[in-house]
Amino acid sequence: MTFSPRPHRDFIAETDFSREEVIETLALARELKEVAGIRDTAEHKAIKGQTWGLIFHKPSLRTRISFEVGINQLGGRHIYVTDQEIQLGKRETVADAARVLSRYLNGIVIRTFKHSDVEELAKYADIPVINALTDLLHPCQIFSDLLTIYEKLGRYEDFKLVYLGDGNNITNSFLNLSAILGIELVVATSPDTLPDADCLARAQKAGVSKVTISHDPFSAVAGAHVLYTDVWASMGQKDKASQKEQALRAFQINSALVNKADKDCIVMHCLPAERGREITDEVMDGPHSVVFDQAENRLHMQKAIILKLLEG
Ligand code: CP
Ligand code: NVA
């Protein structure tokens, strides 16, 4: 029997979706949230009989659990594997692993270091591949954050978002989003912790949003509707923690900074947080914080992304 590749869609970067598709996915996530909510125990058939592989080379609470629960709620099953088993690119090429996995699974969710490994996997797999975080991007997070922003502000465009801290995968993903939806995005960071130069250039060149870099956190947050932060040292960079802390101390989200933003601003963090570093307890547990709504929305958005990809 010959094996002919099936047409399929991947979600590797925000820009894999058009503006229209982003908005449709947002609507789908809202519908799923309304119908299923959390701890849904109803029987669903959307992906009944399907088995999805979760390949995680880095730790995860939210992404892993929300995908596992989401896949199960949609009627499918999952297999979770770490780098101890597959050793992507070490025991065999990424391409060969992709070809083999395509013959067992209905979809792959992968979290790893090198973004190019995920691109390679998607290139050679003939089933949907979803990027669950690389050193470069975290698109599932940014899509679910858009759901939270929509719920809190009542709009998914025309707001000012100031990202404070390390120019990392979260920052790069917001830069990608700003090339699709019209927002004002300010990345407030030190000259030594800038985001990916290509993502920044593409976002600015797209001309969809106003995108700037600031080294002055207090002036950056003026009029901001959303303040966002993330750990200063990402997974795989913990050896640079003290260097990053020195560079980024002034970019901590604390009450003094929140008071300079719009009075109704929301404060976001993808979590896990290093409380007392990039964000104070007072802010994280305070009235502007929406961090746990963000975490919940991961579940609804993961399901929406899977369904959207399967729509073709
Ligand atoms: N925000 C997020 O992706 O969390 P995890 O690393 O716990 O999955
Ligand atoms: N920038 C963080 C995000 C964690 C969800 C990291 O990559 O570790």
Side-chain angles (χ1 to χ4, degrees):
M1 193 178 89
T2 53
F3 183 71
S4 34
R6 288 160 291 179
H8 69 280
R9 286 195 71 179
D10 304 306
F11 184 53
I12 308 300
E14 296 70 14
T15 42
D16 289 340
F17 280 27
S18 67
R19 179 176 186 276
E20 198 186 2
E21 286 170 338
V22 173
I23 296 165
E24 285 166 2
T25 312
L26 193 61
L28 184 55
R30 290 179 63 222
E31 196 184 313
L32 288 163
K33 181 170 183 173
E34 207 176 296
V35 174
I38 53 170
R39 294 188 291 274
D40 181 25
T41 52
E43 199 193 335
H44 294 282
K45 297 195 171 62
I47 58 168
K48 197 174 167 66
Q50 293 196 11
T51 304
W52 282 61
L54 268 61
I55 304 171
F56 275 57
H57 294 176
K58 290 177 176 176
S60 171
L61 187 164
R62 283 142 288 269
T63 311
R64 174 184 172 180
I65 309 285
S66 59
F67 264 114
E68 290 195 4
V69 170
I71 288 166
N72 285 281
Q73 285 183 354
L74 292 174
R77 286 183 295 258
H78 72 273
I79 298 170
Y80 173 78
V81 274
T82 68
D83 54 342
Q84 291 309 306
E85 288 83 33
I86 294 193
Q87 298 188 19
L88 205 64
K90 290 192 192 120
R91 286 185 74 227
E92 58 201 310
T93 65
V94 176
D96 284 349
R99 292 176 179 119
V100 173
L101 290 167
S102 297
R103 295 190 179 209
Y104 302 138
L105 298 168
N106 297 93
I108 298 171
V109 176
I110 177 162
R111 166 170 288 199
T112 192
F113 294 85
K114 278 165 61 189
H115 191 73
S116 57
D117 279 352
V118 177
E119 289 175 330
E120 183 92 346
L121 191 73
K123 182 174 170 192
Y124 291 98
D126 73 345
I127 51 176
V129 174
I130 298 178
N131 175 3
L133 180 147
T134 61
D135 289 346
L136 186 71
L137 298 175
H138 195 3
C140 295
Q141 177 74 49
I142 265 49
F143 269 35
S144 69
D145 289 340
L146 191 63
L147 171 59
T148 310
I149 291 169
Y150 184 75
E151 288 174 344
K152 304 297 175 188
L153 303 186
R155 58 194 191 275
Y156 47 78
E157 287 183 298
D158 299 321
F159 57 84
K160 177 176 176 181
L161 187 151
V162 182
Y163 175 94
L164 296 121
D166 189 37
N168 61 17
N169 42 13
I170 295 287
T171 332
N172 298 333
S173 279
F174 272 120
L175 287 168
N176 277 354
L177 187 74
S178 78
I180 309 171
L181 297 180
I183 62 174
E184 182 179 350
L185 175 63
V186 183
V187 178
T189 190
S190 84
D192 299 326
T193 50
L194 293 169
D196 179 75
D198 291 338
C199 288
L200 176 62
R202 274 198 305 268
Q204 290 179 324
K205 200 171 155 214
V208 174
S209 297
K210 185 175 172 203
V211 178
T212 52
I213 299 282
S214 166
H215 301 310
D216 177 358
F218 280 89
S219 69
V221 301
H225 306 105
V226 182
L227 302 185
Y228 200 114
T229 192
D230 182 17
V231 288
W232 288 337
S234 287
M235 291 180 273
Q237 295 192 336
K238 296 296 177 194
D239 55 320
K240 296 193 186 117
S242 68
Q243 215 177 310
K244 296 258 190 193
E245 178 157 3
Q246 250 184 340
L248 293 168
R249 206 167 279 144
F251 298 88
Q252 180 191 63
I253 300 193
N254 50 41
S255 295
L257 198 75
V258 173
N259 289 337
K260 294 281 178 200
D262 184 89
K263 66 173 186 14
D264 298 318
C265 73
I266 56 170
V267 174
M268 303 183 79
H269 192 310
C270 55
L271 305 180
E274 293 195 16
R275 286 169 173 262
R277 283 207 166 88
E278 72 274 4
I279 188 165
T280 59
D281 281 331
E282 197 182 12
V283 172
M284 187 144 148
D285 300 325
H288 295 274
S289 170
V290 299
V291 301
F292 298 110
D293 293 327
Q294 275 180 269
E296 179 192 323
N297 282 339
R298 299 296 310 279
L299 171 64
H300 311 301
M301 186 49 85
Q302 317 294 37
K303 289 158 72 178
I305 291 167
I306 289 173
L307 295 181
K308 194 74 194 148
L309 290 182
L310 295 179
E311 243 177 39

